[in-house]
Amino acid sequence: MMMNFRAVLFLSSFSVCKALSWSDFTNVVENIGPSVGCGIGIAVGLVFAFFGYRLFKFTLFLCGFIVSGGATYFVLTAYVDLENQYIWFVSLGAGIVGGIVLLFLWTIGIFLLGALLGFALVALAMSVRNGGLIPIPWVRYAVYAGVPFFGGVLAVAKEKIFISVATSLAASFSVIACVDYFAGNVGGGFYELVPYIIQGQTDQIRADPVTYAEIAACLVLAVFSCGVQLFFTGRKHDHRDGHGPFCSIGRHRERYSYDMINN
């Protein structure tokens, strides 16, 4: 009797998979993918905004995933003629590989965290004016390169505080951008801000009262969550004591928040 039930279940599953064609699957992914991605972005963003320093190893993995996967996605969409679903799968694989690599390259990972902080600041600054804050192209590209680089250097020099600041601001940016998506992109393109900047379409940036409210919400959440990290969730922990590839911090150390700032 059990064997017959298993056979029926197997045949039913096979029939469903056969009926669901590849095009149907990709249509489902394209239709619900952004909503699922933004839902995950809000949940993960809130966790890392308040626990980014405490979850240092996972923060490194997420940083590598975003940088590697994001770079792969934008390169493929710009220079390679592939169907969208293949671009997503390749980008996902590249993100996973990049995240794993950064688990063993701490200094590079911390530099990239600082660079993400600088890029988030540039993105917020660009959104305060229609067409972007910096109209001159060569100045704009110099700022795109210089501010993230400077942020990365500062992060390597002052690891503890900049890990907290970077995770708080980048995660807050993610949360507000995803909220903007679910609200129907009611602001001046806050959800599409990063693609506009990377693809050189800053003329599409729109600044309006809703955009300013979103910027303020992002900064308030970033400041509040950074304070929580410095004074509560990361107060007595040191990321340099991590051990094991997937351990978050390691030993629980008697450190105060001012130690995090001064060391």
Side-chain angles (χ1 to χ4, degrees):
M1 188 68 178
M2 181 62 68
M3 293 297 294
N4 291 336
F5 174 76
R6 290 179 177 175
V8 171
L9 181 62
F10 173 78
L11 291 175
S12 300
S13 302
F14 179 78
S15 300
V16 171
C17 292
K18 187 176 181 179
L20 183 63
S21 65
W22 175 251
S23 61
D24 294 330
F25 173 74
T26 55
N27 288 334
V28 170
V29 171
E30 290 181 358
N31 289 332
I32 69 172
S35 297
V36 173
C38 285
I40 295 174
I42 292 174
V44 173
L46 288 174
V47 171
F48 280 89
F50 291 94
F51 296 92
Y53 183 81
R54 180 68 181 86
L55 301 172
F56 174 65
K57 289 289 185 68
F58 293 102
T59 296
L60 283 183
F61 176 85
L62 185 61
C63 178
F65 181 87
I66 292 173
V67 173
S68 179
T72 301
Y73 176 81
F74 284 111
V75 168
L76 291 179
T77 53
Y79 301 106
V80 180
D81 185 17
L82 278 178
E83 294 184 18
N84 198 41
Q85 62 269 21
Y86 296 116
I87 292 177
W88 279 104
F89 289 141
V90 173
S91 301
L92 179 64
I96 293 174
V97 172
I100 294 174
V101 168
L102 277 198
L103 289 175
F104 304 96
L105 300 174
W106 282 25
T107 301
I108 295 177
I110 293 172
F111 177 87
L112 290 178
L113 278 174
L116 285 179
L117 169 63
F119 182 81
L121 290 173
V122 170
L124 289 174
M126 289 293 292
S127 66
V128 303
R129 178 181 175 183
N130 289 332
L133 183 63
I134 307 173
I136 304 175
W138 72 268
V139 176
R140 186 167 61 244
Y141 292 126
V143 171
Y144 289 170
V147 175
F149 179 80
F150 186 63
V153 172
L154 287 178
V156 173
K158 289 285 186 179
E159 294 181 0
K160 295 183 179 181
I161 187 171
F162 275 95
I163 292 173
S164 299
V165 174
T167 52
S168 297
L169 182 60
S172 298
F173 186 95
S174 171
V175 169
I176 301 302
C178 292
V179 169
D180 183 64
Y181 169 81
F182 284 117
N185 200 12
V186 295
F190 200 81
Y191 167 71
E192 300 173 337
L193 184 60
V194 172
Y196 285 158
I197 292 174
I198 293 178
Q199 296 172 3
Q201 299 175 345
T202 54
D203 58 311
Q204 301 293 322
I205 295 176
R206 306 185 311 277
D208 55 31
V210 178
T211 303
Y212 298 139
E214 291 176 339
I215 295 172
C218 178
L219 294 177
V220 169
L221 178 59
V223 171
F224 177 70
S225 59
C226 184
V228 170
Q229 288 199 57
L230 291 175
F231 292 95
F232 294 99
T233 59
R235 179 181 179 183
K236 296 181 180 180
H237 296 275
D238 192 325
H239 67 284
R240 293 169 295 189
D241 291 335
H243 56 82
F246 294 103
C247 176
S248 55
I249 292 295
R251 294 192 298 274
H252 188 105
R253 300 190 63 172
E254 294 295 327
R255 287 181 177 268
Y256 295 95
S257 56
Y258 55 78
D259 292 325
M260 298 177 65
I261 297 175
N262 293 327
N263 290 329

